[in-house]
Amino acid sequence: MVQLHVKRGDESQFLFSTSVDVPLETLTQQVTAIYNNRLKVDRLCSEFPELVDHGVTLPPNMQGLTDEQIVDLKLKDEWEERCVPSGGPEFNKDEIGRRNGHAPNQKMKEVLRNTMEEAKALISKKQAVAGVCVTMEMVKEALDQLRGAVMIVYPMGLPPHDPIRMELEDQEDLSGTQASLQVIPVEEAQLWWAAKELHRGKKLQDYIGKNDKTKIVVKIQKVGGATLQLCVICDFMRLLDEVEDDSHLHSDWSDRQTLKRQFQGLSNIKWGPR
């Protein structure tokens, strides 16, 4: 099997095993699916500590408000009584006002924390260092573990506006966020190897040959990414050439002796008849 070391830019992502005769359309879809779903696991794991510490997310119209403002506006969280953690809540106020403060008890906290660490380990970039190839099944297992932990701690489910529920149901809205810049839509994904785009209409063996025991580094990016990078490099080289232009060394202002001669009254002396 061919082993691909998938990178985004210069950053290692994961190892993936495939065959030389795989259509590049299929390979691009497979690699992109793993890449994007690893990001989903990361986003979920980034929300888990907040769920552990402060419970479920408040409705959007209540987030960031003080208790007094909520009372004045007569707002009520209709999900507070429905989304109670197993074993009862332990109150821990969320100072930024994003979550309702009804945190799980210590036993349920451990369920969430331990599951989060297991899921992160499954799709960790350290797997590449260890020589472990990541599969879509492994990524799905990580997602299922996180989903299962949430069901154990919140058997009645999470509010529909909670980012964890939205991620698990593929309803997340990443528009305007830094996370959205990392996601690569399948239809916009490109794979590159040895400074060559691996075109979807071909097979992998059209580029690397028929040796099925090859190890190569491929880069995943959005369509146009390489062109943009090349333009940036060209612009940088052009600016570097301008900086290295030494024509200014022949200018009067660059002559260190000019100022000295002006003070001595010698700057306008000409030899020979006028």
Side-chain angles (χ1 to χ4, degrees):
M1 298 296 283
V2 179
Q3 187 179 92
L4 308 183
H5 185 173
V6 180
K7 293 187 174 184
R8 175 83 188 265
D10 292 326
E11 187 175 356
S12 175
Q13 300 294 322
F14 56 91
L15 301 181
F16 181 74
S17 181
T18 189
S19 61
V20 290
D21 61 350
V22 64
L24 285 166
E25 175 70 34
T26 301
L27 180 61
T28 302
Q29 292 175 359
Q30 291 172 333
V31 171
T32 306
I34 292 176
Y35 172 81
N36 285 334
N37 279 282
R38 285 177 70 253
L39 292 176
K40 178 184 284 289
V41 173
D42 281 339
R43 292 194 301 270
L44 280 163
C45 289
S46 70
E47 288 287 348
F48 260 50
E50 295 299 314
L51 181 66
V52 168
D53 291 338
H54 304 295
V56 302
T57 306
L58 288 165
N61 65 334
M62 294 178 65
Q63 292 181 25
L65 300 181
T66 65
D67 293 340
E68 292 76 12
Q69 289 172 323
I70 290 175
V71 171
D72 290 343
L73 294 171
K74 298 180 180 179
L75 300 176
K76 181 176 174 58
D77 181 5
E78 61 180 280
W79 297 95
E80 182 176 320
E81 295 179 0
R82 302 188 206 178
C83 305
V84 178
S86 296
E90 295 179 356
F91 190 74
N92 182 26
K93 184 178 177 60
D94 183 4
E95 295 300 331
I96 65 173
R98 184 166 177 252
R99 293 180 174 270
N100 69 8
H102 297 290
N105 63 30
Q106 291 304 312
K107 183 179 179 180
M108 294 297 103
K109 287 179 188 289
E110 287 306 307
V111 170
L112 292 172
R113 288 194 185 110
N114 292 340
T115 305
M116 177 185 69
E117 293 303 324
E118 291 173 9
K120 287 168 66 175
L122 265 177
I123 56 92
S124 171
K125 293 176 182 178
K126 293 180 181 178
Q127 295 280 46
V129 178
V132 177
C133 290
V134 175
T135 64
M136 193 60 203
E137 287 69 28
M138 292 169 65
V139 181
K140 286 180 178 177
E141 182 181 348
L143 290 169
D144 287 342
Q145 287 179 346
L146 296 171
R147 183 179 290 105
V150 171
M151 291 176 65
I152 290 171
V153 180
Y154 289 93
M156 299 301 291
L158 298 176
H161 51 267
D162 192 289
I164 292 176
R165 175 172 168 176
M166 294 174 72
E167 287 281 1
L168 291 172
E169 295 181 352
D170 295 326
Q171 299 296 321
E172 69 273 15
D173 181 10
L174 302 180
S175 56
T177 67
Q178 187 66 28
S180 68
L181 302 178
Q182 297 177 299
V183 176
I184 301 178
V186 174
E187 65 276 7
E188 296 181 28
Q190 286 180 328
L191 296 181
W192 287 70
W193 169 72
K196 300 174 184 176
E197 180 188 350
L198 304 181
H199 292 281
R200 295 192 183 208
K202 297 185 177 182
K203 292 187 175 183
L204 185 58
Q205 64 187 14
D206 294 332
Y207 292 91
I208 70 170
K210 297 185 178 181
N211 183 356
D212 219 10
K213 298 187 182 299
T214 305
K215 294 183 179 180
I216 64 173
V217 174
V218 299
K219 294 192 176 185
I220 184 172
Q221 64 184 37
K222 287 185 180 181
V223 173
T227 303
L228 177 60
Q229 291 173 9
L230 184 60
C231 290
V232 171
I233 292 172
C234 290
D235 286 344
F236 175 76
M237 295 303 293
R238 177 179 56 78
L239 290 172
L240 191 61
D241 287 341
E242 292 177 0
V243 170
E244 291 180 346
D245 182 6
D246 61 359
S247 61
H248 68 279
L249 297 177
H250 306 295
S251 304
D252 288 342
W253 60 265
S254 68
D255 187 349
R256 296 180 180 178
Q257 300 301 319
T258 299
L259 187 60
K260 181 178 179 181
R261 288 197 296 269
Q262 286 177 344
F263 277 116
Q264 294 175 339
L266 301 176
S267 61
N268 229 4
I269 294 178
K270 292 183 180 179
W271 300 100
R274 298 197 176 206

